[in-house]
Amino acid sequence: MTVVVKVGGDLVKDERALDNVLGDFKGVVSKDRAVLVHGGGDIVTEIATKLGKEQVFITSPEGFRSRYTDRETAEIYSMVMSGDINKKLVTHLQRLGVKAIGISGLDGGLLRAERKKRLVIIDERGRKRAIDGGYTGRIVSVESSILDMLMNSGYTPVVAPVALGDEYEILNVDGDRAAAHIAGALKATLVLLTDVEGVILDGRVLRLVKQHEVEGLLKKLGPGMITKVYAANEALSLGAPRVVISSGLKDHPITSALSGEVGTSFMAS
Ligand code: ADP
Ligand code: MG
């Protein structure tokens, strides 16, 4: 089996939470092939602000929230994601005895994306408006042979969600969506770890969502989770057998999600 695990920014920031997640990840690596994908948007925002580059967030009419990425922001994004955050994860894994190799979507053309020409947003007055797409990308291909090569040689890839555009520009891609495309390409089970126990509806964690139920579900979710559920559906459509959205803050977060004890599982039917 191959497993793709995505960790969110909050987990990267908290040393103890990270130790818990990566300790469990080490167990997965010892049995299965595994890829770690990370986010870290909050850290990008923090560092951009320190550099004097105020970050702007936009919301689509469907409720997806994202960073408005101009050229300077794309550079800061790539620097923080594939530098700071990726290397923290790699060093932490090495300390645990995992042969981790950090790689961004730019390296070897691992993640290729198409630049979004226009974005439709809801402005401050609640009106729909089209703006220039900036440097955000829609993933079009995954060079999964790079990941296969690393894993087959005993290395564990740690992927930063940055993609290579048509004109070789650096593009910001969402971490959940990057993980979904990678899981699809590898036909791997995807575990999206976050700071809540799964998809919560009317105060309860959903245990199982079938793919045909996703469209109706998306309308009921808030920012953050809507992206994850969209990504879960995308991963299934691309060939992942199963996706679990679960908490990274519990004991054995990955193995308990894989065994189905916790989290919200997504299956094709
Ligand atoms: P990550 O850093 O892991 O990507 P996000 O903050 O982007 O985390 O997404 C997780 C967040 O989604 C939760 O902390 C929660 O606030 C929010 N959310 C919105 N709607 C829901 C929902 N229906 N169920 C669970 N979480 C939800
Ligand atoms: Mg998120």
Side-chain angles (χ1 to χ4, degrees):
M1 181 164 85
T2 308
V3 183
V4 175
V5 178
K6 188 261 177 176
V7 291
D10 286 347
L11 295 174
V12 178
K13 272 200 277 190
D14 182 336
E15 193 72 16
R16 269 182 50 196
L18 194 57
D19 219 42
N20 181 45
V21 170
L22 297 186
D24 198 29
F25 183 72
K26 180 187 174 171
V28 176
V29 171
S30 69
K31 289 193 228 75
D32 299 301
R33 303 193 329 153
V35 175
L36 187 69
V37 180
H38 61 83
D42 290 351
I43 304 172
V44 173
T45 304
E46 229 170 74
I47 296 182
T49 307
K50 280 187 194 160
L51 292 170
K53 180 77 184 173
E54 209 54 54
Q55 298 290 282
V56 176
F57 288 87
I58 52 180
T59 305
S60 79
E62 295 80 25
F64 290 83
R65 201 171 113 89
S66 62
R67 175 186 315 275
Y68 185 71
T69 310
D70 61 10
R71 204 192 180 97
E72 258 186 340
T73 292
E75 283 169 4
I76 296 169
Y77 180 88
S78 160
M79 174 178 97
V80 177
M81 283 292 186
S82 39
D84 182 46
I85 300 173
N86 190 272
K87 277 13 176 187
K88 269 184 190 140
L89 288 168
V90 166
T91 49
H92 202 119
L93 283 168
Q94 299 279 356
R95 192 187 325 145
L96 295 175
V98 176
K99 286 167 57 175
I101 292 224
I103 175 170
S104 82
L106 302 171
D107 299 287
L110 175 64
L111 299 176
R112 288 199 180 255
E114 195 173 75
R115 200 162 142 187
K116 294 181 186 170
K117 301 277 178 299
R118 269 158 37 106
L119 296 171
V120 179
I121 63 161
I122 298 291
D123 69 13
E124 315 76 51
R125 294 183 184 163
R127 290 190 307 214
K128 268 195 202 179
R129 194 153 65 83
I131 60 168
D132 181 78
Y135 289 80
T136 22
R138 188 175 292 111
I139 297 173
V140 290
S141 67
V142 178
E143 188 64 45
S144 55
S145 62
I146 300 171
L147 304 173
D148 282 326
M149 188 177 74
L150 291 172
M151 289 188 287
N152 295 343
S153 304
Y155 290 99
T156 300
V158 179
V159 181
V162 185
L164 189 62
D166 289 340
E167 290 160 17
Y168 303 95
E169 54 302 41
I170 292 175
L171 300 177
N172 162 3
V173 288
D174 176 74
D176 295 323
R177 306 281 301 277
H181 279 263
I182 291 169
L186 294 171
K187 310 292 171 232
T189 298
L190 173 62
V191 179
L192 296 171
L193 291 181
T194 185
D195 56 358
V196 287
E197 287 179 48
V199 183
I200 302 166
L201 223 53
D202 303 322
R204 290 180 46 207
V205 178
L206 300 182
R207 298 307 328 277
L208 178 65
V209 177
K210 303 278 179 66
Q211 218 179 347
H212 67 87
E213 298 169 324
V214 168
E215 206 182 311
L217 178 61
L218 285 173
K219 299 187 185 82
K220 300 175 187 160
L221 307 174
M225 195 48 76
I226 192 171
T227 306
K228 281 182 207 306
V229 171
Y230 191 89
N233 187 39
E234 198 168 34
L236 294 176
S237 298
L238 291 167
R242 183 171 157 233
V243 180
V244 190
I245 298 177
S246 191
S247 169
L249 303 169
K250 298 288 171 75
D251 287 347
H252 307 293
I254 305 165
T255 42
S256 60
L258 289 173
S259 70
E261 282 163 67
V262 295
T264 305
S265 286
F266 292 76
M267 312 263 269
S269 57

